[in-house]
Amino acid sequence: MPIIGLVLEPLDTLFFRGGRPFGLGLSGESGLPAPQNFAGALRTWLLERAGADFRRMRGQPSLAAAFAAAGVPWLAETRFRGPWLADISDPASPKPFVRAPANLGLAAGEPVALCPLRTPLAGWSPPSDEPQMLPLWLKRRRPDKSRPAWLTFDGLRAYLQGQAIGAEQLPSGDALYGVEERTGIQVDEKTQAAEEGLIYSTRSLRLKLNVAFYGEIDLPEEHAKAFDGEQVMSWGGERHHVIVRKVNRVRWPQAPDDSPRTSLLLISPAFFTGRWRPGNLPQGALRAAAVDGPFAVSGWDLALGGPKPTRFGVAAGSVYFLEGAPPPPSLCASPDDALSGYGHFLKGTWNYAE
């Protein structure tokens, strides 16, 4: 199936509800969208275009069965990746931003990368089931307590090739998006006036100029025409809308396949059976790990017609350092997670700290 690049440009603020409670006296605050927000919105939009009967999807044991019941079995094999914030100064060729790698720090304000030591430190205790693991270290310099938040596309290419990164390649979140306060009321249906005491506030996501979201979708050729021209789609809470445009697919940088030491940088969150460690890494190949998180997400199950349980996983930016073995094709324990865009990683190269 061809891989299509998509840019989602908001027409207003966006709202993606997190796991925090929202009720009387509390403010609903939007975070950044998770992969399932991206995949769910596009699936719903494609289902509506196909005239699918959503009621027939309820109660089905799996996504594949739900899509088959709705008459769109091809949607079960459609793969999504993203979304990522992206620079759209060139509208046809977006440049995504990714979460700064967890082993990337600052020393006197300059970017530095922590790398595995060749020999363990005194007092170092690796996990009992990973005795070959080594500590991450930075020799001759002491990292600051602050950490970078984002990495530009050019910075990503340099990081994966083991090259130095400039401070200008580490933008802050404030440079990419802001939060906008809004106040709302609940209207009484009979009186058409505000109900006393039912005033609430929300904090919505507003992207900066020339910043949008980029994502990818693997779609059968005969259905790819659905994205010809500009489309309008609702996304997130409160039915806010985005313009969806097909763009040139991003050519993600990767380290050479023959590199003896490979780092796996998660650019999307992931869920593993082994909590912080992907369960399908080659045995004995893991030398070190810098893990961000936890990442928590819930949602609504369209097939079962009810809320999904909260799940905890590893955040984007986590890095796994391998030596002497090729990485697996996917890090996700669940095929459905992989189809929804979780666990997407890029291959880099690394050297020992000395």
Side-chain angles (χ1 to χ4, degrees):
M1 292 189 289
I3 301 176
I4 298 172
L6 298 175
V7 159
L8 284 69
E9 195 167 355
L11 292 171
D12 193 2
T13 59
L14 295 174
F15 188 84
F16 302 99
R17 192 184 304 279
R20 294 178 58 187
F22 177 51
L24 192 63
L26 299 174
S27 175
E29 185 170 351
S30 174
L32 292 170
Q36 69 185 42
N37 298 127
F38 177 69
L42 286 172
R43 282 171 175 158
T44 302
W45 185 76
L46 290 168
L47 284 165
E48 289 174 344
R49 283 182 61 92
D53 186 349
F54 286 83
R55 292 173 298 180
R56 297 182 62 183
M57 298 176 62
R58 294 176 181 169
Q60 300 295 333
S62 65
L63 272 178
F67 293 142
V72 285
W74 53 270
L75 196 53
E77 299 300 322
T78 300
R79 181 182 294 270
F80 303 86
R81 300 181 189 89
W84 298 279
L85 291 166
D87 179 355
I88 57 167
S89 300
D90 181 355
S93 300
K95 292 185 176 180
F97 301 95
V98 299
R99 289 287 189 181
N103 71 315
L104 201 62
L106 299 171
E110 293 298 319
V112 290
L114 282 75
C115 296
L117 279 173
R118 192 178 293 274
T119 55
L121 291 170
W124 161 254
S125 298
S128 58
D129 55 345
E130 299 285 353
Q132 77 287 347
M133 286 187 67
L134 300 165
L136 290 170
W137 198 254
L138 181 66
K139 286 198 171 183
R140 296 182 299 277
R141 303 180 74 182
R142 183 175 182 178
D144 305 336
K145 291 184 178 180
S146 60
R147 275 189 51 201
W150 296 92
L151 185 63
T152 66
F153 194 70
D154 291 337
L156 174 65
R157 182 181 292 106
Y159 173 84
L160 295 175
Q161 295 173 357
Q163 299 174 355
I165 297 171
E168 71 281 359
Q169 295 171 329
L170 297 171
S172 65
D174 293 341
L176 306 181
Y177 59 87
V179 175
E180 184 174 293
E181 298 271 1
R182 291 192 174 184
T183 301
I185 60 172
Q186 181 169 321
V187 177
D188 189 301
E189 294 183 359
K190 295 181 180 179
T191 64
Q192 292 299 302
E195 291 196 21
E196 186 176 352
L198 293 182
I199 300 176
Y200 65 92
S201 64
T202 59
R203 303 183 71 198
S204 300
L205 196 68
R206 179 175 292 280
L207 303 188
K208 299 293 185 177
L209 183 65
N210 289 329
V211 177
F213 286 101
Y214 170 79
E216 297 173 348
I217 177 173
D218 299 9
L219 200 63
E221 191 77 47
E222 61 272 22
H223 299 289
K225 297 178 181 178
F227 294 101
D228 290 345
E230 290 189 346
Q231 309 293 334
V232 177
M233 180 183 76
S234 63
W235 195 23
E238 302 183 351
R239 295 195 64 82
H240 290 182
H241 290 78
V242 292
I243 296 175
V244 183
R245 292 186 287 108
K246 189 190 301 185
V247 295
N248 297 328
R249 175 192 169 196
V250 168
R251 300 298 176 182
W252 294 97
Q254 299 272 8
D257 291 334
D258 58 354
S259 176
R261 291 183 290 270
T262 304
S263 63
L264 309 182
L265 170 63
L266 275 175
I267 59 173
S268 297
F271 300 100
F272 306 135
T273 54
R275 296 181 298 174
W276 62 272
R277 182 194 187 281
N280 56 355
L281 291 181
Q283 189 66 33
L286 185 62
R287 292 291 176 267
V291 181
D292 256 347
F295 168 80
V297 70
S298 181
W300 187 263
D301 193 313
L302 189 62
L304 297 178
K308 296 178 180 179
T310 300
R311 305 172 68 196
F312 295 91
V314 171
S318 299
V319 192
Y320 298 90
F321 298 85
L322 306 183
E323 184 173 24
S330 174
L331 297 182
C332 281
S334 163
D336 284 346
D337 284 340
L339 288 173
S340 297
Y342 287 107
H344 193 45
F345 69 90
L346 300 176
K347 293 186 297 182
T349 187
W350 60 275
N351 293 308
Y352 284 103
E354 59 267 53

